[in-house]
Amino acid sequence: MTEPSAPARAYRIGIDVGGTFTKAVLIDNATHDVIGRFSVLTTHSDPRGVAKGVVEVFRTVLERSGVDPGEVIFLAHSTTQATNALLEGDVAKVGVIGMATRVESLLAKGQSAMKPIELAPGRHLKPVNRFITKETLTDDTGRKAIEELKAEEVKVIVASSAFGVDDSEAEEKIRGLVVDAGLAATCGHEITKLYGLTTRTRTAVINASILPKMIDTAVMTEASVREAGILAPLMIMRGDGGVMDIAEMRRRPAMTMLSGPAASVAGALMHLRVTDGIYFEVGGTSTNIGVIRNGRPTVKYARVGGHETYVSSLDVRVIGIAGGSMVRIKDGKLVDVGPRSAHIAGLPYSAFAKPEDIIDPVIELFRPKSDDPDDYVAVRSASGIRYAITNTCAANVLGYAKPGLHAYGNPESAQRAMAALAGMIGKSIEDTARAILDTATDKVIPVVDDLMAEYKLDRDQAVLVGEGGGAAALIPHASSRTGLHHVISKDAEVISSIGVALALVRDVVERVLPNPTPEDLRRIRREAFEAVVKLGAAPENVEVTIEVDQHTHRVRATAMGASEMRARQRNDEVGELEAKEIAAKAMGVGLEHVTLAAATPRMRIFQGEVEERSWKIFKKRRSPVRAVDLDGVIRVQRSHSVVRAASAGTGFADVRRLWEDTTIYNGDSVITPDIFVIIGSQIIDLSGVNSIEQALAITRSEFDGLVDSDPVALISIPPSRGL
């Protein structure tokens, strides 16, 4: 009898298309270990565009790793193409056909007529507008409007109707006529289901303007992938941190805007398993800063040329300080660091020179660019070569950039260059390096404080996550100044590619519902669930979060899930003791202070007891919580909570009781708690819900198919703690 054959190896490929480099990583699907990596300069000027670089890196990384294309089960890439096309004005001419009834047209005609949209200074997208009342819309009137737009050299047409999110018949009629005329089309209702004709039409116009270019790239990339023997679906990174298949990208390319920062966040979520924190993608010239909250990135609508769109993208703050930012000196004093970087100035870092290259260094002040101030610092060696003194150099002097990190260079070289600067400003070498990083992180810390306040992150729970090649240049020093714990990603320089390879399928459904009923919430939840499954997520692995904004009346359902290939159960599940150790370490307490408060078949909820002193007299007790899944990932963490074990049979009553017990009634105001309902591995986040009836409506569908004895866990974050 022959032994059964071993299961085939399985790999995932993630490709990050950056402004300078296109980087690929090959990841083992079972262990998530990086097996191979390769990068090339991004092929902006090639006739095939960035697709050429994408194809080159995935072919090369397979060849160098000895992996057969048939063993690749997932291939995805982020892209700067949509963003770059808009910034560079490399867009197609767009025509708009607005529609409404005669009564509605009094307002709708002006709202659907798009004025020029500024994409970048001096670059505008100038749509051509037509309008048809629905009462006069026929095949003939539609064709006439289309022919008029074609005569003005329009390449893509947007069909946008007043209240098209409720009745898309008119938009679909125009789409059919446009396709018959040989042009590409975009309908307002397929971009978003939100009301707001002007913003919806503007978003559709931006989407349409990049549609031809993105479709061409998609066709070339997909053909090359299939030619290489990879049968796995080709996925594209979205700007909100998820991935979508290439068919969806052909329909909504604008969703890929800002997918570069999104890729790095996905890496932090999946590779580092971060629950709450501030993430930094530190490059050479600038740093992207954003928030991870409840294991999800925070998302807002992207703005183009100062105008709001309905394109969801990560809430990212960009600051002009990074690993390569150069020092500025005036009147013998350190006055600033950045915004100009060594990369822009064309100078090598002193930290990456050999010690023998830094001989008799002399400080020189110069202008990196003609319109820059003349106070930037360079150090000239006896050989005549000039080097920059950067944040990375300071981090090497102070020991923050440790061996194994991308920012680690040659500390001795950095010290020699720093000695020349120290002599000029009258400080020690170490104090000079510290002053540089103090000045640099003075620009970082206020952003961190603002984000923590805006998203209500607990300081004792949040972690600073360093990503990108320059992470060690800023994050350790920022950590020491703020008292916040930090971690620098393994493989930080390729974290974006890792994030692409491990990203989840994601989609968002939004509606404007002034007073959503329980049935409204169930319907929008189901719609989001079905949308993400359609995009390739495994149904049993999908999680849906509902947010209800009482001010804007918007209801947002965000569905996320692993692809079918990634949803398989792992064989290295953690036991209860290991999970307890993970929870205790995260709480910063001993095992004896942690108890298992509740559990489901795929999640354990641990609660700790922490006693803190205030003014050395008063004692305060709090009960931190950690929900740990079978992979050892902390899925929920809070510094104080109420945890209750329940069952499917009593679940609704228990949710209602917990809601009432932890709601605060303060005069005329009612402050509701943040509640999480855990069923199996599913976490139902009710933190955006403001009434118990809405909360029960959202959870009801999750109880379908359960028997009364099935365990359910409930976590409430009482508002009295400011959480």
Side-chain angles (χ1 to χ4, degrees):
M1 182 177 177
T2 59
E3 292 288 330
S5 59
R9 300 180 300 174
Y11 299 95
R12 306 170 70 83
I13 294 178
I15 301 170
D16 177 50
V17 184
T20 304
F21 290 101
T22 295
K23 301 177 181 179
V25 294
L26 182 71
I27 293 180
D28 186 292
N29 187 58
T31 65
H32 292 179
D33 291 337
V34 177
I35 306 300
R37 65 187 77 192
F38 186 71
S39 67
V40 298
L41 288 171
T42 299
T43 53
H44 294 296
S45 59
D46 190 88
R48 289 170 288 175
V50 298
K52 180 180 183 296
V54 170
V55 172
E56 184 177 349
V57 290
F58 86 69
R59 284 180 178 270
T60 305
V61 79
L62 286 174
E63 292 171 2
R64 293 191 174 187
S65 305
V67 170
D68 186 274
E71 296 173 323
V72 176
I73 62 168
F74 183 89
L75 173 66
H77 72 84
S78 70
T79 177
T80 59
Q81 190 171 17
T83 304
N84 289 345
L86 293 171
L87 291 176
E88 296 165 10
D90 185 14
V91 293
K93 192 169 185 178
V94 178
V96 179
I97 298 180
M99 292 164 286
T101 65
R102 285 193 178 93
V103 174
E104 296 163 351
S105 64
L106 294 173
L107 289 175
K109 187 173 183 178
Q111 291 175 347
S112 63
M114 288 292 100
K115 297 177 181 178
I117 301 170
E118 184 180 27
L119 303 176
R123 301 182 186 275
H124 292 79
L125 172 60
K126 299 178 180 178
V128 182
N129 299 285
R130 293 293 185 274
F131 189 84
I132 305 173
T133 62
K134 290 184 179 180
E135 289 85 350
T136 62
L137 176 58
T138 64
D139 288 354
D140 289 340
T141 57
R143 290 192 188 99
K144 181 177 183 294
I146 293 168
E147 289 304 318
E148 290 175 356
L149 293 173
K150 285 182 69 175
E152 296 195 45
E153 300 182 339
V154 159
K155 302 300 181 185
V156 189
I157 292 178
V158 168
S160 186
S161 172
F163 301 104
V165 296
D166 297 325
D167 181 2
S168 61
E169 182 180 353
E171 292 183 1
E172 291 294 350
K173 183 179 184 66
I174 291 295
R175 185 214 295 272
L177 295 173
V178 170
V179 172
D180 289 344
L183 296 180
T186 292
C187 293
H189 76 272
E190 66 182 342
I191 301 300
T192 177
K193 298 296 185 182
L194 288 176
Y195 295 117
L197 182 58
T198 299
T199 304
R200 190 167 69 248
T201 306
R202 182 187 303 122
T203 307
V205 166
I206 291 169
N207 186 79
S209 72
I210 58 176
L211 193 60
K213 192 175 187 69
M214 297 292 282
I215 288 176
D216 287 345
T217 299
V219 169
M220 286 187 287
T221 305
E222 188 173 37
S224 299
V225 167
R226 299 294 172 249
E227 183 182 333
I230 296 177
L231 302 178
L234 177 61
M235 309 294 283
I236 315 297
M237 196 81 193
R238 293 163 51 126
D240 60 7
V243 291
M244 60 184 180
D245 64 15
I246 199 163
E248 184 68 9
M249 195 275 277
R250 289 190 181 104
R251 191 169 68 93
R252 293 192 290 174
M255 301 299 291
T256 66
M257 287 166 53
L258 303 176
S259 65
S264 66
V265 182
L269 290 171
M270 304 306 299
H271 200 50
L272 291 180
R273 299 173 175 179
V274 175
T275 304
D276 286 346
I278 308 289
Y279 66 84
F280 300 78
E281 185 180 20
V282 186
T285 303
S286 63
T287 296
N288 297 321
I289 306 177
V291 173
I292 296 171
R293 175 71 164 157
N294 294 335
R296 297 188 302 273
T298 55
V299 176
K300 286 190 174 180
Y301 293 122
R303 297 181 71 86
V304 175
H307 299 291
E308 185 180 86
T309 71
Y310 284 149
V311 175
S312 293
S313 65
L314 299 189
D315 182 11
V316 174
R317 316 292 164 87
V318 182
I319 59 174
I321 198 78
S325 300
M326 295 190 299
V327 176
R328 297 171 61 186
I329 299 294
K330 192 168 186 177
D331 299 329
K333 295 181 180 180
L334 175 68
V335 295
D336 205 357
V337 178
R340 191 66 74 202
S341 73
H343 303 271
I344 302 300
L347 296 182
Y349 294 24
S350 63
F352 296 140
K354 297 177 181 178
E356 57 267 27
D357 293 335
I358 310 291
I359 303 297
D360 299 328
V362 176
I363 297 297
E364 295 182 355
L365 302 182
F366 76 111
R367 301 178 190 269
K369 296 292 181 182
S370 60
D371 56 348
D372 286 336
D374 61 358
D375 55 7
Y376 281 91
V377 171
V379 58
R380 187 181 294 275
S381 178
S383 65
I385 299 176
R386 291 197 309 173
Y387 297 89
I389 296 179
T390 67
N391 288 323
T392 298
C393 304
N396 274 269
V397 168
L398 295 175
Y400 287 135
K402 300 183 183 300
L405 295 177
H406 195 69
Y408 180 73
N410 195 314
E412 183 180 349
S413 301
Q415 287 170 354
R416 290 188 179 191
M418 198 70 68
L421 179 60
M424 173 175 277
I425 66 174
K427 293 179 179 288
S428 69
I429 294 174
E430 288 75 17
D431 284 347
T432 300
R434 193 169 293 109
I436 290 171
L437 293 185
D438 280 347
T439 303
T441 53
D442 280 346
K443 302 178 182 181
V444 173
I445 292 172
V447 180
V448 172
D449 290 340
D450 288 347
L451 287 170
M452 293 192 69
E454 181 176 347
Y455 289 103
K456 300 179 181 178
L457 291 179
D458 302 332
R459 294 192 72 87
D460 60 341
Q461 311 296 310
V463 60
L464 304 183
V465 181
E467 302 167 349
L474 291 179
I475 308 310
H477 194 67
S479 173
S480 69
R481 294 186 68 193
T482 60
L484 297 169
H485 177 62
H486 81 278
V487 60
I488 295 178
S489 299
K490 177 185 176 184
D491 302 310
E493 69 278 10
V494 290
I495 194 67
S496 292
S497 300
I498 292 170
V500 176
L502 300 178
L504 299 176
V505 182
R506 174 188 175 104
D507 209 350
V508 178
V509 174
E510 294 177 296
R511 294 285 188 278
V512 175
L513 300 170
N515 294 294
T517 65
E519 182 55 38
D520 289 332
L521 296 176
R522 284 195 296 271
R523 185 167 56 252
I524 192 173
R525 185 191 184 284
R526 186 66 192 176
E527 186 176 343
F529 176 88
E530 291 174 349
V532 82
V533 169
K534 184 179 178 181
L535 293 180
E540 69 276 10
N541 197 254
V542 173
E543 295 180 6
V544 182
T545 302
I546 301 285
E547 299 168 83
V548 181
D549 190 322
Q550 300 296 329
H551 301 291
T552 64
H553 303 303
R554 289 177 180 173
V555 179
R556 172 186 292 171
T558 303
M560 295 185 71
S563 62
E564 293 281 359
M565 287 294 186
R566 236 196 84 206
R568 295 176 299 176
Q569 186 170 319
R570 295 165 62 106
N571 296 321
D572 56 345
E573 296 175 349
V574 300
E576 181 176 331
L577 178 58
E578 186 178 355
K580 186 175 182 180
E581 291 171 343
I582 292 170
K585 181 179 179 180
M587 294 177 192
V589 300
L591 282 174
E592 68 275 14
H593 298 295
V594 178
T595 58
L596 180 65
T600 72
R602 304 210 45 89
M603 194 87 65
R604 299 182 181 97
I605 297 84
F606 295 95
Q607 195 156 28
E609 288 299 326
V610 177
E611 185 177 279
E612 298 171 329
R613 289 185 177 272
S614 177
W615 300 98
K616 298 183 179 180
I617 300 175
F618 303 104
K619 292 182 180 180
K620 181 178 68 174
R621 284 188 170 86
R622 61 181 176 86
S623 301
V625 66
R626 298 293 186 275
V628 184
D629 68 16
L630 296 189
D631 287 334
V633 178
I634 297 174
R635 303 289 300 282
V636 177
Q637 65 173 5
R638 288 293 185 275
S639 62
H640 181 73
S641 64
V642 176
V643 180
R644 290 183 183 170
S647 66
T650 62
F652 289 113
D654 291 330
V655 170
R656 183 182 292 276
R657 190 176 302 112
L658 182 59
W659 181 284
E660 293 171 350
D661 289 348
T662 53
T663 294
I664 291 180
Y665 299 92
N666 185 12
D668 293 333
S669 64
V670 178
I671 309 174
T672 58
D674 291 346
I675 287 184
F676 299 88
V677 179
I678 303 176
I679 302 172
S681 63
Q682 305 296 311
I683 298 177
I684 308 166
D685 183 353
L686 302 176
S687 56
V689 177
N690 290 322
S691 79
I692 183 58
E693 297 307 323
Q694 290 178 348
L696 294 177
I698 293 170
T699 58
R700 183 166 283 108
S701 61
E702 294 292 348
F703 280 80
D704 292 343
L706 298 180
V707 298
D708 287 351
S709 59
D710 285 341
V712 173
L714 308 177
I715 301 173
S716 177
I717 318 300
S720 60
R721 298 283 180 154
L723 303 174

